[in-house]
Amino acid sequence: MPKPTKYYSSLQEHRIADYYGWSVVVASGARPFHPGDVKSSKWLAECKTHTKETDKLTISKAVWRKLSNEAKSLRKIPILFIDNGTQKIDNTWAVVQGRCIDGQGFENIDAPLNVSEGQITFKHSDFKPLYKGKKAGVSIFVDGNTLYIIRATDLQEIVGEK
């Protein structure tokens, strides 16, 4: 019998929290006034995973907007984590505001994206080789703001809380 989606979500949330030294939000953002899945004193994160390994990853603009509004209300910086279902930090991507990586030595790289009104999709297998040996990000635009898709492992030096 397959495990419920919540099982995989909880694995991802704890993996992210442990990796960065953050904490998991009680009830994983399901309670009023406790938004997000993982947080620190400075950051509020939403985590998205899959129940089995997949190559296609999706960034929902609605999820980003909701997270951004929640983070703003708490005076925190939003981060959206997406993984390919392997539950490995090396296969996890972070969506961050451009200002978070400005001056951090990130190279802006061009990668294939499929952008629609409500979402941005990309293939893990297309992105992974582009980042090899580089500290890089792929820029995307949501509501006139520049966001970057970076490797979750490259975010470690930016958050600086571990």
Side-chain angles (χ1 to χ4, degrees):
M1 183 169 173
K3 295 183 177 170
T5 303
K6 183 63 186 157
Y7 169 82
Y8 297 98
S9 296
S10 180
L11 280 178
Q12 183 197 34
E13 291 162 10
H14 283 87
R15 179 178 34 85
I16 296 286
D18 290 346
Y19 186 77
Y20 295 110
W22 297 355
S23 59
V24 175
V25 173
V26 177
S28 189
R31 295 173 32 212
F33 309 109
H34 295 282
D37 295 321
V38 181
K39 67 179 181 174
S40 75
S41 61
K42 186 176 177 181
W43 305 88
L44 181 68
E46 186 75 25
C47 300
K48 298 296 179 188
T49 190
H50 297 86
T51 58
K52 56 186 169 190
E53 190 172 344
T54 183
D55 194 38
K56 182 181 174 185
L57 302 176
T58 302
I59 299 164
S60 165
K61 292 180 183 178
V63 168
W64 176 260
R65 287 179 190 118
K66 180 177 180 273
L67 172 62
S68 294
N69 288 335
E70 291 169 343
K72 185 178 180 179
S73 74
L74 296 173
R75 294 190 173 106
K76 293 184 185 272
I77 303 168
I79 300 177
L80 177 62
F81 290 103
I82 306 161
D83 75 25
N84 70 342
T86 61
Q87 300 297 325
K88 295 180 181 176
I89 198 75
D90 288 346
N91 293 329
T92 300
W93 302 93
V95 178
V96 297
Q97 297 169 332
R99 65 183 173 91
C100 295
I101 67 169
D102 286 344
Q104 299 287 330
F106 278 80
E107 176 184 339
N108 187 17
I109 57 175
D110 193 27
L113 295 169
N114 184 1
V115 180
S116 71
E117 184 68 28
Q119 63 188 23
I120 299 160
T121 58
F122 63 96
K123 289 186 176 180
H124 178 75
S125 61
D126 287 343
F127 267 45
K128 193 97 173 170
L130 297 173
Y131 288 78
K132 195 144 189 96
K134 299 178 187 177
K135 193 166 89 170
V138 174
S139 63
I140 56 176
F141 300 96
V142 175
D143 300 333
N145 296 305
T146 302
L147 308 176
Y148 281 90
I149 304 169
I150 65 173
R151 292 181 298 201
T153 52
D154 286 340
L155 184 64
Q156 180 62 42
E157 67 184 67
I158 295 170
V159 300
E161 294 183 39
K162 189 171 182 185

